[in-house]
Amino acid sequence: MTNNISIRHLRAFVEIASCGSFTRAAENLHLTQSTLTATIKQLEDQACLKLLDRTTRRVLLTGEGETFLPVAEKLISDFDTAFNDLHATATQQQGQIGVAASPSMISRVLPPIIKAYHLDSPKIGIYLRDDNASGIEQRVLENEVDFGLGGNHSNQPELSYTPVLKDRYGVVVPSGHHLAEKAIIRWDEISSLPQLHLTEDTGTRSQLRKLEKENDLDLQLQGAGIEVSTPAGLAELIKTGLGISLLPSLAASTRSFDELHFIPLDEPALFREICIISRKGRSLSPAAESLLQMINEHFSATNLPQFVRTED
């Protein structure tokens, strides 16, 4: 049997039970008595039970009505709570946003944006997940976060990549290195120098491999002698004088590299794209959309060294 009962039937029943009168209940619900009577008849016909008894002075609940009343009250309460939660989410009065990004993006770029957003929408929770390029994609794919900020690591067909920044590549050298005072360096000037690299599973390594092939460069990526999985570990190795390393400027701008020198590479000047990564077909909540807009506005006015907007 098809159930055609709606929340209005429940509200009518509960209001009559509370008032003990069709007349007062109709007034409170802003209905005519005939409409209210028809609504209760529909409810009783659907239930195949009489829920209310009318006397000359008062409307009383039947035994079945007494049993059903707390159930109806809970259903109304649950409905109102759920709908109010939806409204609060729509008006950004509550909710939670998840963002996945590289450690350098989280430490270098996002803090002022998150602070500004939190001051504007203090009831919205925000959780940040730092990860490498493949991890960012996976977190977005699994709906663990609303969106990610990173490079297009594997061009997943289920993901959308919207470029927002281009981050220039350069070389990182220790203090005292003979290249340390240069303002810019050609790629061919570093081809014979010992190099340290991030491991194969990182976005930077895969991007360098692609750049090497596309631009006919010798970046010593094949069988690299010393590799490390994190930029912080890489920075410590560079400080020892073991070698130099190739990184995008954002990765080289974190605290781990404070004692080192980043020099942009030229001839050719090469960049990595930083993208907003989202899942195709998945709508963002109003809160997530608002944060994303704030991030885009920040990027459009960025003055980070070696960064350019993708439109430029």
Side-chain angles (χ1 to χ4, degrees):
M1 182 177 66
T2 303
N3 189 337
N4 295 316
I5 298 305
S6 68
I7 197 70
R8 69 182 178 87
H9 294 89
L10 301 181
R11 290 194 194 280
F13 170 69
V14 170
E15 189 63 32
I16 293 170
S18 174
C19 295
S21 163
F22 270 76
T23 302
R24 288 197 296 276
E27 291 174 354
N28 292 344
L29 294 171
H30 306 289
L31 299 172
T32 64
Q33 285 198 53
S34 60
T35 298
L36 182 59
T37 299
T39 300
I40 292 301
K41 185 176 187 307
Q42 290 169 359
L43 176 63
E44 291 180 327
D45 287 349
Q46 190 74 53
C48 299
L49 287 169
K50 194 170 181 59
L51 300 174
L52 297 166
D53 278 330
R54 284 189 178 187
T55 68
T56 55
R57 301 178 60 184
R58 186 171 175 83
V59 177
L60 301 174
L61 293 173
T62 65
E64 291 78 11
E66 291 278 4
T67 300
F68 182 60
L69 179 60
V71 177
E73 290 174 331
K74 185 176 188 308
L75 288 171
I76 293 170
S77 175
D78 289 347
F79 176 86
D80 288 344
T81 298
F83 192 81
N84 288 337
D85 285 348
L86 285 175
H87 180 71
T89 299
T91 56
Q92 298 182 51
Q93 296 174 15
Q94 70 177 38
Q96 195 170 52
I97 308 168
V99 181
S102 66
S104 57
M105 181 68 70
I106 289 176
S107 65
R108 184 74 173 86
V109 178
L110 289 180
I113 305 173
I114 298 302
K115 180 181 179 181
Y117 185 86
H118 180 67
L119 291 174
D120 188 57
S121 304
K123 294 185 179 180
I124 301 295
I126 302 173
Y127 59 95
L128 304 175
R129 298 287 184 264
D130 62 351
D131 214 327
N132 59 26
S134 61
I136 293 170
E137 290 178 333
Q138 197 60 35
R139 289 179 188 274
V140 177
L141 278 172
E142 294 175 357
N143 295 326
E144 183 183 337
V145 295
D146 293 281
F147 59 87
L149 290 164
N152 185 340
H153 179 64
S154 54
N155 200 30
Q156 294 281 348
E158 296 177 51
L159 296 180
S160 174
Y161 301 86
T162 305
V164 287
L165 287 178
K166 291 192 292 185
D167 185 10
R168 189 169 182 174
Y169 275 92
V171 60
V172 181
V173 302
S175 297
H177 194 277
H178 71 276
L179 296 176
E181 301 305 317
K182 280 184 168 283
I184 203 161
I185 298 176
R186 299 190 316 273
W187 288 86
D188 60 14
E189 291 183 79
I190 63 168
S191 60
S192 61
L193 299 178
Q195 294 184 23
L196 309 170
H197 292 288
L198 291 169
T199 50
E200 290 281 357
D201 61 330
T202 61
T204 297
R205 181 68 172 272
S206 63
Q207 289 159 3
L208 284 173
R209 191 174 293 283
K210 181 180 179 183
L211 293 174
E212 182 181 45
K213 182 178 180 180
E214 291 175 347
N215 296 276
D216 193 26
L217 301 171
D218 180 13
L219 305 183
Q220 304 180 28
L221 297 175
Q222 193 65 34
I226 300 178
E227 301 178 353
V228 63
S229 61
T230 65
L234 182 64
E236 293 304 315
L237 289 175
I238 297 170
K239 290 175 187 177
T240 68
L242 272 172
I244 63 171
S245 190
L246 307 175
L247 288 175
S249 63
L250 178 61
S253 69
T254 57
R255 290 187 180 276
S256 299
F257 294 85
D258 281 351
E259 300 173 23
L260 301 171
H261 296 269
F262 174 84
I263 308 148
L265 284 159
D266 201 16
E267 296 185 23
L270 299 178
F271 299 82
R272 70 162 176 170
E273 283 188 329
I274 295 177
C275 304
I276 299 292
I277 303 172
S278 58
R279 182 155 187 172
K280 292 179 180 177
R282 182 191 180 197
S283 298
L284 294 179
S285 68
E289 285 279 11
S290 180
L291 176 59
L292 190 53
Q293 180 180 353
M294 190 173 286
I295 289 172
N296 274 313
E297 289 172 354
H298 180 85
F299 284 167
S300 68
T302 187
N303 59 358
L304 289 171
Q306 312 307 328
F307 271 36
V308 296
R309 293 160 55 187
T310 52
E311 298 93 330
D312 297 342

